[in-house]
Amino acid sequence: MVQTIPARDISLYELEEKFGLQLATDINFFPEWTENLPTLADGEQQAIARLKSNYLNLNKHRLMSEEAVKMVVLSPLLDLAGFYQPPFEIETETSVEISAEDESFLVKGNIDVLVIQKRFWVLVIESKSSKFDVMTALPQALAYMLDCPNPAQPTFGLLINGREFVFVKLIQQEHPWYARSDALSIERDSELHQVLSILKRLGELIVLLPADN
């Protein structure tokens, strides 16, 4: 009998047991979030400052909902990173379904935002309300990333709750391996700048990939 579980309820333990997911501890596994990051132009820094001001102003009245986080924080970041322009595309609420090798375990869900370039998934973005710890989205995002249609290439993810950002990298070889960045805070200017720089860097890397990969 097939056991079906919503992606929002999946745990890291279940992903490890059912899909062979493993955490990579090699610091060289995920250099993209720290190395060769582009410097932000003055206009980009001003836009980031405005984004932060908007977040702080709205969040002091009440904790921001998931939809507000997408509108106030996530959407401007994706725009600044260039993901609304060719060769990228945006999909929302994309259905995902993954099954264990013995097909006894099925995970279903919908990705909040998916940035794609050809058939390569650039970012699987899972957003939560600012009242939730950003790491609560990690198992759900990894489940979606496991359904990448082009497992020969790495997949990158972004977890966001408005206040914090965590980047994730997944590589599927004999077993799927993943690593994550530190949590970067919107309240520290250098870290918020780093978030945009990472997004821009990932966009650069994807464009440089051979078209048939």
Side-chain angles (χ1 to χ4, degrees):
M1 183 176 179
V2 178
Q3 178 186 359
T4 301
I5 183 170
R8 65 177 180 274
D9 295 332
I10 197 74
S11 68
L12 284 176
Y13 175 79
E14 288 168 318
L15 291 175
E16 292 172 357
E17 289 295 304
K18 302 296 185 180
F19 301 96
L21 182 67
Q22 299 181 43
L23 173 65
T25 56
D26 184 349
I27 60 173
N28 296 315
F29 181 86
F30 190 9
E32 293 89 349
W33 78 276
T34 56
E35 298 180 3
N36 301 314
L37 300 182
T39 301
L40 300 185
D42 290 343
E44 292 171 327
Q45 294 183 37
Q46 293 170 7
I48 284 290
R50 175 79 173 190
L51 184 158
K52 176 181 177 179
S53 176
N54 290 341
Y55 167 81
L56 293 176
N57 177 61
L58 294 172
N59 204 54
K60 70 183 178 183
H61 293 285
R62 62 182 60 83
L63 292 177
M64 296 177 69
S65 67
E66 181 176 338
E67 292 304 315
V69 168
K70 291 179 187 177
M71 179 175 65
V72 176
V73 181
L74 179 57
S75 182
L77 280 173
L78 294 180
D79 182 23
L80 289 168
F83 288 124
Y84 295 156
Q85 295 291 327
F88 301 102
E89 300 175 18
I90 295 287
E91 294 183 2
T92 60
E93 297 301 323
T94 303
S95 297
V96 170
E97 183 175 300
I98 59 172
S99 60
E101 284 190 15
D102 61 5
E103 299 185 349
S104 64
F105 191 86
L106 187 67
V107 181
K108 292 184 176 182
N110 293 304
I111 302 171
D112 283 346
V113 182
L114 174 63
V115 182
I116 57 175
Q117 194 265 347
K118 299 188 184 298
R119 287 182 55 80
F120 179 59
W121 297 19
V122 181
L123 288 172
V124 175
I125 300 168
E126 187 58 33
S127 63
K128 297 293 184 184
S129 162
S130 58
K131 70 180 179 181
F132 291 108
D133 186 317
V134 69
M135 292 306 298
T136 61
L138 180 60
Q140 187 175 356
L142 285 168
Y144 296 151
M145 293 165 73
L146 285 168
D147 191 44
C148 176
N150 191 356
Q153 296 291 349
T155 305
F156 297 99
L158 172 62
L159 317 178
I160 173 175
N161 66 359
R163 183 182 66 257
E164 292 181 316
F165 310 82
V166 173
F167 289 88
V168 185
K169 180 179 181 179
L170 176 73
I171 292 179
Q172 301 190 60
Q173 298 172 336
E174 293 182 4
H175 299 284
W177 293 85
Y178 81 96
R180 62 179 178 83
S181 72
D182 294 339
L184 304 172
S185 174
I186 197 173
E187 298 182 359
R188 290 187 281 272
D189 289 346
S190 63
E191 294 184 7
L192 182 55
H193 288 187
Q194 185 177 357
V195 170
L196 178 54
S197 292
I198 295 170
L199 288 170
K200 289 170 66 70
R201 177 59 178 160
L202 294 180
E204 293 171 352
L205 292 172
I206 302 317
V207 170
L208 293 174
L209 283 174
D212 58 350
N213 278 0

